Amino acid sequence: MQKYVLFLLIFILTLSGCSGNSEKDKQLSKEKQPDTAIKETSKETKKPKETFGEPQVIDYNLGAREIVQASGWKVPYTVKGTMGVPTGSGKRPIVILLHGNHPIKKYDTDRYDQGFTYLVKDLARQGYLAVSMDINAQYVWEHGEPIEHERLLSIFDTQFALLTKAIKGEDAGFKIPLQGRGDLQHISFIGHSRGAQGTHALANRLKEKGIGTDGLLMAAPMELFVMGSLPDVPLGILLPQYDGDVTGLLGHRIFDREALLPERKNPISVAYMYGANHNFFNSKMHEKDDGIGPSKINDNLQKRLTVEEQQTFLSRYAVDFLNAIYDPDAKKNFYAVKGSAETTGQMYGHPVMSSLYMPGTQYILHPIKEGKVPLEGKVTSSEGVEFKQVTESYIQKNDEAGPFLHPGDQEKMNLLSVRWTQRGGELTIEVPENLAPKNEGNFTVYMAADPSDKLNEPDTPPAFSIVLQDQNDRSAVYKMNADTPAVRLQPGKLIKDDYAAYWSTYTPLSTLRIPLDAFDREKKFGEIRRVTLKFDQTDSGALMIGNLGFTKE
């Protein structure tokens, strides 16, 4: 089946890492790094809000070192990187950036850390001490096979020790005053591609040193075999629609796995970026990779983001994400429902799909987490509505979702398939008394419209109404707008071969939160006992539901 052959191609690409393309686009190779300066919004929890000027950005070289591997092989390298130091005085939160595994001619002279100079500068403009480390030595095979993150940990230990020394006022070779400028107890990581894969290893290393991690931001992350459970900190994930390297968009696997952890106390946000590719996050990666692999099939479906647009998006998202960690007001704005990507389908002027996990969510239905459990007495439907539990998987023997493709190359993701063939049909879910919300917070559903199902008419999103009923059968109704992103039909086409069929683009499940005070309710409406999805806007339709419930935020 093509759907599974597609996975094999992705598997081969990801084993080679984020290698990109070996030849550079001549037209783009001469371009300057775009100035992605953004409005200053930096805030810090325990200090007056500050305004920062143009930072000092340096390229540093701290001399030759050697990594001694467990195998006995030695890897010589030079301690290098790019740093942005904010104006003003006082210690600032530290952000460490990790680049991916990209084409190199000589690993100790090619500089992909410099590909984030624009981001280092933008972060420092907002008051963050930003450090982009050269970690090429982690990826090369010239001195034996890299074993997981052995080399990365050695590189980080050396760089972090020198940074610590400089912040304490000692001469570490940076050739710039750093005494008291970085807060060594407030550190976040931003990683791209395989650099994102390494962020969890470095967070664990900090933990060994008695230092917590404040947040993780991953752009087009690779996730295969070696990434374990992540630290419980705010997590942001950017997924480029036309990723020609990590073609399976494995960051969604990270989201769907981490969101299952019942003890998680911090939010996870995903932005699926229409028109973006893998390479343009790093200014040293000049070639477009959106014509490689499965994305080539969809070559003319969407506008492509330019280099400047994609890098500006990352800069703005990174600043907003980090500000939300350190400032309660910024956090409230970043995760707010009103004006969010889940209601507008936009971020920074570009179309996106949004997936979000908020801690403390009470689920009344969660196929992804619960698996295939008996639904008798819990879920009912009227005539013309059918529902069944299905498994989305790249493994052919496990897959029951047919052409539907959720990102992340899921091994076994259980979903509730809901289909209706007449207007006015209903699906009702009972709300256990212990989970009944007190009429505050939000109703939330994680779902997608199945573009491969013929019950969904082209250009007619299967919007519906949500009816809440209390213990006395009083109702509260919310009528969903047809342009709600969560029911957007993803552009693409049905591709068939001799074995089966699949949709040519991914359809990410997306989160929709609806404030309970936005429902039109009857007087004296009490505690919620039932949730009914009323399919009153289209004659037919098909949805995939991952979970639904109530959240305070």
Side-chain angles (χ1 to χ4, degrees):
M1 177 178 177
Q2 192 80 16
K3 180 174 180 178
Y4 317 109
V5 173
L6 179 63
F7 170 75
L8 290 177
L9 173 62
I10 293 168
F11 178 79
I12 293 169
L13 287 171
T14 50
L15 278 182
S16 64
C18 304
S19 56
N21 302 303
S22 58
E23 297 182 2
K24 298 186 176 180
D25 186 311
K26 294 181 180 179
Q27 182 178 355
L28 291 174
S29 63
K30 297 179 181 180
E31 69 184 356
K32 296 181 180 179
Q33 290 194 32
D35 184 357
T36 57
I38 58 181
K39 184 178 179 181
E40 296 182 358
T41 57
S42 180
K43 301 167 184 177
E44 187 177 7
T45 305
K46 297 182 180 180
K47 293 184 179 180
K49 297 173 183 177
E50 300 180 51
T51 300
F52 299 90
E54 281 300 300
Q56 187 168 1
V57 178
I58 64 167
D59 180 78
Y60 61 86
N61 183 324
L62 306 181
R65 296 291 192 281
E66 192 173 66
I67 301 169
V68 180
Q69 302 173 105
S71 63
W73 284 76
K74 296 179 180 180
V75 184
Y77 76 104
T78 304
V79 180
K80 300 188 297 292
T82 305
M83 177 185 292
V85 183
T87 58
S89 60
K91 58 185 181 181
R92 304 299 306 171
I94 298 171
V95 184
I96 295 173
L97 288 72
L98 304 177
H99 64 79
N101 177 20
H102 307 303
I104 55 175
K105 294 181 179 179
K106 191 173 182 181
Y107 76 88
D108 211 26
T109 57
D110 290 326
R111 296 292 302 277
Y112 288 107
D113 60 290
Q114 293 177 340
F116 289 119
T117 300
Y118 75 93
L119 183 54
V120 164
K121 183 182 294 184
D122 282 344
L123 291 171
R125 280 175 175 144
Q126 308 305 317
Y128 296 97
L129 179 61
V131 183
S132 178
M133 296 181 175
D134 178 3
I135 57 171
N136 271 341
Q138 158 65 18
Y139 304 123
V140 296
W141 288 59
E142 294 178 29
H143 302 279
E145 179 183 357
I147 304 300
E148 295 192 354
H149 298 112
E150 180 183 26
R151 299 179 190 173
L152 175 63
L153 293 172
S154 178
I155 295 168
F156 175 74
D157 285 346
T158 298
Q159 292 229 18
F160 189 73
L162 292 169
L163 180 62
T164 300
K165 185 177 179 181
I167 289 172
K168 290 181 177 180
E170 302 175 46
D171 182 10
F174 287 99
K175 299 180 181 180
I176 183 175
L178 291 175
Q179 183 174 4
R181 297 310 323 276
D183 189 338
L184 294 166
Q185 294 300 315
H186 288 289
I187 301 172
S188 296
F189 294 97
I190 298 176
H192 172 226
S193 196
R194 283 190 65 182
Q197 186 184 31
T199 58
H200 86 288
L202 298 193
N204 288 335
R205 182 65 111 207
L206 281 184
K207 186 176 180 181
E208 294 172 5
K209 300 175 185 292
I211 303 171
T213 297
D214 288 351
L216 301 177
L217 173 54
M218 303 179 177
M222 214 270 274
E223 197 272 0
L224 198 62
F225 304 137
V226 298
M227 182 179 284
S229 183
L230 301 176
D232 186 1
V233 298
L235 171 62
I237 301 171
L238 298 181
L239 297 179
Q241 180 189 23
Y242 294 114
D243 192 323
D245 193 326
V246 186
T247 52
L249 304 188
L250 301 180
H252 233 302
R253 181 193 295 178
I254 299 171
F255 172 83
D256 290 315
R257 181 191 69 218
E258 294 295 315
L260 292 179
L261 302 176
E263 68 277 9
R264 173 168 269 276
K265 297 180 175 63
N266 286 283
I268 313 173
S269 57
V270 176
Y272 174 81
M273 300 168 57
Y274 287 100
N277 67 31
H278 187 89
N279 287 346
F280 283 179
F281 289 119
N282 190 307
S283 67
K284 293 291 185 178
M285 297 292 290
H286 301 291
E287 275 198 352
K288 295 181 179 179
D289 61 287
D290 56 4
I292 302 173
S295 57
K296 187 175 182 179
I297 299 170
N298 313 296
D299 197 40
N300 296 308
L301 289 177
Q302 292 282 339
K303 170 187 175 295
R304 294 328 199 235
L305 296 187
T306 65
V307 172
E308 184 171 358
E309 287 173 333
Q310 190 161 326
Q311 293 177 4
T312 299
F313 191 105
L314 174 56
S315 277
R316 297 188 67 178
Y317 188 95
V319 168
D320 287 344
F321 173 79
L322 291 167
N323 286 347
I325 294 172
Y326 298 107
D327 179 7
D329 291 336
K331 178 181 179 180
K332 184 177 180 180
N333 292 333
F334 189 70
Y335 296 109
V337 177
K338 186 177 181 181
S340 67
E342 62 195 273
T343 59
T344 66
Q346 299 271 328
M347 288 188 79
Y348 315 122
H350 296 290
V352 299
M353 293 290 285
S354 172
S355 302
L356 181 67
Y357 164 81
M358 295 301 290
T361 301
Q362 297 286 339
Y363 295 104
I364 60 173
L365 186 68
H366 202 323
I368 297 175
K369 180 178 181 180
E370 298 170 350
K372 294 185 177 179
V373 298
L375 296 179
E376 290 80 5
K378 185 176 182 179
V379 182
T380 57
S381 64
S382 66
E383 183 178 352
V385 178
E386 65 174 25
F387 64 92
K388 64 177 179 178
Q389 300 175 86
V390 300
T391 299
E392 153 69 349
S393 177
Y394 72 83
I395 302 172
Q396 184 171 5
K397 66 178 183 178
N398 293 339
D399 185 67
E400 300 167 338
F404 178 82
L405 281 173
H406 176 67
D409 289 334
Q410 308 290 337
E411 294 183 20
K412 194 172 183 181
M413 183 178 189
N414 292 304
L415 303 170
L416 185 70
S417 168
V418 183
R419 307 173 78 242
W420 63 96
T421 55
Q422 63 183 47
R423 188 183 294 257
E426 297 181 347
L427 180 82
T428 299
I429 303 99
E430 299 296 323
V431 178
E433 187 172 349
N434 65 313
L435 297 182
K438 304 298 182 182
N439 290 316
E440 57 185 21
N442 308 295
F443 171 79
T444 180
V445 58
Y446 182 48
M447 66 178 181
D450 185 352
S452 68
D453 197 308
K454 293 182 179 179
L455 291 181
N456 285 324
E457 293 290 337
D459 302 319
T460 306
F464 53 91
S465 294
I466 301 165
V467 182
L468 309 178
Q469 290 180 295
D470 69 7
Q471 66 273 31
N472 297 313
D473 292 330
R474 296 186 184 93
S475 297
V477 182
Y478 179 88
K479 187 172 183 178
M480 187 184 297
N481 195 301
D483 59 9
T484 299
V487 292
R488 179 184 290 163
L489 290 168
Q490 299 302 311
K493 55 190 175 183
L494 190 64
I495 297 178
K496 299 181 179 180
D497 59 25
D498 294 337
Y499 303 98
Y502 66 99
W503 196 247
S504 63
T505 57
Y506 287 111
T507 300
L509 272 71
S510 182
T511 303
L512 173 64
R513 291 174 297 164
I514 304 168
L516 293 180
D517 59 14
F519 284 75
D520 183 13
R521 64 183 67 194
E522 294 183 52
K523 292 182 179 180
K524 298 182 180 180
F525 184 81
E527 289 189 350
I528 300 168
R529 289 289 183 268
R530 284 177 296 282
V531 175
T532 296
L533 310 185
K534 188 170 184 177
F535 307 114
D536 54 358
Q537 298 188 46
T538 59
D539 294 330
S540 65
L543 302 172
M544 292 289 191
I545 297 176
N547 60 57
L548 53 83
F550 300 95
T551 180
K552 293 180 180 180
E553 299 181 83

